[in-house]
């Protein structure tokens, strides 16, 4: 159902007033060029210090908390692989109770971080449950498209054709032979107030999406594209370039869904061919031209589907339509046909 | 365990498990990533498929264990592997498999705990493995290899035992065993009898009545009958004892240890023997059923005991139960998170030998 979402609490960030305080300090142990920790830092910059983080097991947990050190400047709880959304639900319930009792004055933001394995696979049930119950929290999926922390095993978020250690490419195998699970769409299907995709290559867009997500009353979901030099087979210096390419090739379109209304937040005027994207990464190196053409077809089809969702959920603005309808409704309908 | 092939390959314990499973006729592998056992699913994702089997990566350990239940119910040789936190998630399915008598092989490359612990070796899952692990009254056979060759040998034995008793069988290794490399002779067991599950597997009911696999018994007396049957099975399993003795004949003190820690303890015992100390080693290979009889025999000869474990003291309870009325056992813990050297065991062994 389409509904209006109150975004009056949304405080927009511009390049001029970019928050600088990152709640994940440097000195953590992420690989060089890790796009995931970069994106996570941006999320915390947008959220600010009054935030509680529930972090599922994964790269981000491992690299930010080798005992007795920590990279976290905000309250942080590490949880098992499958339950970041459940623990965040518990935190949210406790915050509610504390606020009611007057023990907590300033409501903290609650953010759950999970990787793609944690979100799309093992934590999927907990995520769906938290969305359905309507807890006011933001779930951020940092998607590097495989289980990188354990050594690059496929997940249901691994794209078609990618070679991983459990979907190895070879004479009889194309690598991953299934299509990437569409998590943002599944999140949107829960009817939660705010869903978005974001990329660290478009940091202002990413941070503003976080701000919007935190301003709504209820659950929100942001799916962030997180380049992994180690797992994807590319130089660490190329992370942001690849992240940009993913958007410019429409492999990873940036959009948001507010109250059920889809909107593309970065329209690509002249998309680059997906081969530009595929050739830059070792995980796709084995793909033939024919397979690349199939991937291009899928990318085009997915974008077309998204555009149809945008059109379907944004009918001609009601205000503009009404006066026109008085003028010449029949003519317009005929023209369209 | 005969028919060793003359060929030797230099592989990790994890790979020995995977190769041994394929040699044993494993046709389905269900897995989920977790360190330190990832080499097993990674190897299987290619080699098992080439061997005509099915490799499935599940969305969680809950799913992989229940896939194993589904495949086992069809009478096929199937397995999963994981490490401690993942094995915890599998416990419900393992209880159901024991309750509905479905054969399965589950490999646990034990890592440090509790919680997420670390990815290093530990023997913290001894209780969970040998006491059932999930809810209800049941047991799983538990085999604990101490070398890469033994990992290869025992995974083959595990499949045979699983089908012999229609019961889940656990292989309990650790991060040391999984990740160290040793020379292994990859022998081939006799081919699997195609009729090994012919009278109970799920395969369609054309021309006969349906077969039911279940663990729910609501009619009066039904569950008690099933539990009695299960107990009889667990009693029959007691014949499956397997253990290693090292220089125990004239020993005054017998060190009890299993798995990787037994290898390290053996080095300490060997060194102390050179110093003239009368110490030996008792290594249970099967942790359930625990080789109580042979231990009691040693106790009857007046020997003393020291149990060394990579946990806070778990197997020591089984050692004490085995020798009760005759002797007791001292206990020495290596805390999970630490890696012991043979030298670390010398002082506790000397102390126990002196009766201090």
């Amino acid at each position: 159902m389409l509904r209006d979402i109150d975004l009056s609490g949304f405080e927009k960030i511009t390049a001029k007033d970019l928050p600088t305080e990152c709640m994940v300090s440097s000195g953590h142990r992420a690989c060089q060029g890790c796009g995931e920790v970069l994106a996570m830092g941006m999320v915390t910059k947008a959220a600010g210090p009054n935030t509680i983080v529930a972090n599922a097991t994964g790269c981000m947990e491992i690299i930010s908390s080798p005992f007795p050190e920590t990279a976290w400047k905000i309250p942080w709880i590490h949880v098992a692989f499958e339950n970041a959304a459940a623990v965040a639900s518990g935190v949210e319930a406790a915050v509610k109770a504390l606020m009611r009792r007057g023990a907590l004055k300033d409501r903290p933001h609650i953010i759950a971080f999970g990787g793609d394995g944690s979100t799309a696979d093992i934590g999927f049930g907990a995520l769906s449950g938290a969305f359905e119950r309507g807890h006011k929290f933001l779930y951020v999926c940092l998607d590097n498209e495989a289980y990188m922390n354990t050594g690059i095993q496929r997940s249901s978020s691994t794209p078609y054709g990618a070679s991983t250690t459990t979907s190895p490419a070879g004479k009889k195998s194309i690598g991953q032979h299934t299509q990437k699970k569409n998590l943002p769409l599944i999140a949107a299907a829960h009817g939660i107030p705010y869903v978005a995709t974001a990329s660290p290559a478009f940091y202002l867009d990413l941070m503003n999406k976080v701000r919007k997500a935190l301003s709504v009353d209820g659950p929100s979901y942001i799916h962030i594209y997180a380049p992994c030099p180690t797992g994807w087979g590319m130089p660490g210096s190329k992370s942001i370039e690849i992240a940009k390419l993913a958007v410019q090739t429409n492999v990873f379109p940036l959009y948001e869904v507010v109250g059920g209304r889809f909107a593309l937040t970065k329209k690509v005027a002249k998309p680059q061919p997906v081969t530009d994207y595929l050739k830059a990464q070792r995980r796709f190196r084995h793909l033939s031209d024919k397979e690349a053409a199939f991937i291009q077809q899928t990318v085009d089809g997915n974008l077309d589907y998204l555009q149809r969702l945008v059109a379907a959920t944004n009918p001609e603005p009601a205000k503009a339509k009404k006066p026109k309808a008085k003028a010449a409704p029949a003519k317009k309908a005929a023209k369209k046909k | 365990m005969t028919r060793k092939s003359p060929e030797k390959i230099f592989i990790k314990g994890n790979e020995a498990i995977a190769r041994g499973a394929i040699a044993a006729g494993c046709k389905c592998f269900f897995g989920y990533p977790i360190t330190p056992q990832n080499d097993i699913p990674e190897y299987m994702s290619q080699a098992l498929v080439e061997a005509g089997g099915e490799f499935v990566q599940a969305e969680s350990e809950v799913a992989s264990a229940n896939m194993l239940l589904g495949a086992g119910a069809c009478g096929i040789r199937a397995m999963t592997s994981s490490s401690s936190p993942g094995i915890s998630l599998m416990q419900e399915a393992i209880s159901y498999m024991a309750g509905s008598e479905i054969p399965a092989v589950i490999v646990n490359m034990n890592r440090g705990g509790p919680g997420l612990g670390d990815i290093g070796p530990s023997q913290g899952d001894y209780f969970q493995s040998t006491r059932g692990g999930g809810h209800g009254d049941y047991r799983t056979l538990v085999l604990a290899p101490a070398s890469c060759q033994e990992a290869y040998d025992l995974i083959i034995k595990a499949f045979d035992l699983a089908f012999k008793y229609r019961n889940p069988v656990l292989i309990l290794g650790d991060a040391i065993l999984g990740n160290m490399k040793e020379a292994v002779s990859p022998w081939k067991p006799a081919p699997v009898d195609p009729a090994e599950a012919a009278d109970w597997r799920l395969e369609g009911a054309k021309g006969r009545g349906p077969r039911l696999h279940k663990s729910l018994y609501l009619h009066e007396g039904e569950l008690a009958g099933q539990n009695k049957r299960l107990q009889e099975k667990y009693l029959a399993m007691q014949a499956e004892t397997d253990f290693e003795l090292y220089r125990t004949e004239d020993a005054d003190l017998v060190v009890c240890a299993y798995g990787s820690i037994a290898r390290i303890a053996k080095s300490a015992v060997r060194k102390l023997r050179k110093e003239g100390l009368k110490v030996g080693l008792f290594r249970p290979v099967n942790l359930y059923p625990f080789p109580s009889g042979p231990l009691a025999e040693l106790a009857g000869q007046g020997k003393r005991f020291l149990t060394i474990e990579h946990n806070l003291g778990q197997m020591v309870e089984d050692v004490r139960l085995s020798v009760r009325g005759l002797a007791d056992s001292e206990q020495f813990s290596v805390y999970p998170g630490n890696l012991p050297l043979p030298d670390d065991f010398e002082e506790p062994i000397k102390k126990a030998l002196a009766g201090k």
Side-chain angles (χ1 to χ4, degrees), chain A residues 153-165:
Chain A
Q153 293 87 9
R154 72 162 289 267
S155 79
S156 60
S157 197
T158 301
Y160 175 86
S163 183
T164 72
T165 53

Side-chain angles (χ1 to χ4, degrees), chain A residues 81-93:
Chain A
F81 211 11
E82 68 279 16
N83 50 17
V87 172
S89 301
V91 170
E92 195 255 6

